[in-house]
Amino acid sequence: MKVIVLQGSARTQGHTAHMVEAFVRGAREAGHDVTVFDVANMDIHGCRGCEYCHTRGNGTCIQKDDMGQILDVWNELDVLVLASPVYYGSISGQLACALHRTYALNKPKNCKATALFLSSGSHNVYDAASRMYHGFVQGYFGTKDLGVYTAAGNEAESPQMQQRLHDLGRKL
């Protein structure tokens, strides 16, 4: 299976990255083709709402930035994982920006399953991000929900969370 992870934390060694690493390790051990896009450290501009993609662009965005790397494989993915720290009650702006830009191609044609990984500094801050995921991403895409995995502080690096995410990757 082709697995794409959109990782929305600018901290390459932070809690979100550790969650992603455990999942990716398991998925690769199971033989899946996994690509992680570190969207917080890519040059991805906000959607302009210009409709070029749906008119003259025929599914291509008028902006020429790093988002093209994601759009090039968008319709090939079987599993989409979104991973983000929680900022102001939701996903990072960088991840939101990348998601908005997928408007050029709409929902991925082959996506069968989705998951959401969230890290934060405290518990009970995940509701808005979970609603967005279930309502827009997993709900709109019509995919199997592989779950929302949350970790406050060092829980992301705990042996239990690392094993859970590793197992998720292996069982895809």
Side-chain angles (χ1 to χ4, degrees), residues 3-106:
V3 181
I4 300 294
V5 179
L6 300 182
Q7 201 280 93
S9 175
R11 296 180 182 175
T12 58
Q13 294 301 311
H15 297 306
T16 305
H18 287 289
M19 294 174 77
V20 168
E21 288 167 8
F23 168 78
V24 168
R25 196 169 45 254
R28 286 185 177 150
E29 285 173 11
H32 300 296
D33 177 10
V34 183
T35 304
V36 178
F37 289 101
D38 188 8
V39 298
N41 292 301
M42 295 171 72
D43 180 31
I44 298 176
H45 304 196
C47 178
R48 295 179 180 173
C50 68
E51 289 296 327
Y52 176 85
C53 58
H54 293 144
T55 57
R56 297 182 314 253
N58 195 31
T60 61
C61 184
I62 197 167
Q63 299 185 77
K64 303 302 175 210
D65 58 11
D66 291 343
M67 189 63 197
Q69 296 171 40
I70 298 169
L71 294 177
D72 284 348
V73 297
W74 188 246
N75 285 320
E76 299 170 12
L77 66 92
D78 298 298
V79 176
L80 175 65
V81 175
L82 305 177
S84 180
V86 174
Y87 293 158
Y88 292 95
S90 194
I91 61 174
S92 70
Q94 297 95 326
L95 180 56
C97 185
L99 280 175
H100 293 169
R101 289 284 299 285
T102 66
Y103 175 70
L105 293 175
N106 202 356

Side-chain angles (χ1 to χ4, degrees), residues 93-167:
Q94 297 95 326
L95 180 56
C97 185
L99 280 175
H100 293 169
R101 289 284 299 285
T102 66
Y103 175 70
L105 293 175
N106 202 356
K107 54 188 171 183
K109 292 178 181 170
N110 297 321
C111 190
K112 297 167 191 65
T114 51
L116 177 64
F117 302 167
L118 297 170
S119 65
S120 68
S122 61
H123 296 278
N124 304 317
V125 296
Y126 307 109
D127 290 348
S130 293
R131 280 193 307 274
M132 179 277 309
Y133 164 73
H134 287 295
F136 174 69
V137 177
Q138 184 266 326
Y140 175 64
F141 289 5
T143 56
K144 177 182 177 185
D145 179 18
L146 298 176
V148 176
Y149 298 82
T150 61
N154 291 331
E155 290 174 359
E157 298 175 54
S158 72
Q160 297 85 357
M161 180 58 73
Q162 292 288 297
Q163 189 63 53
R164 236 177 118 199
L165 295 172
H166 179 268
D167 292 348

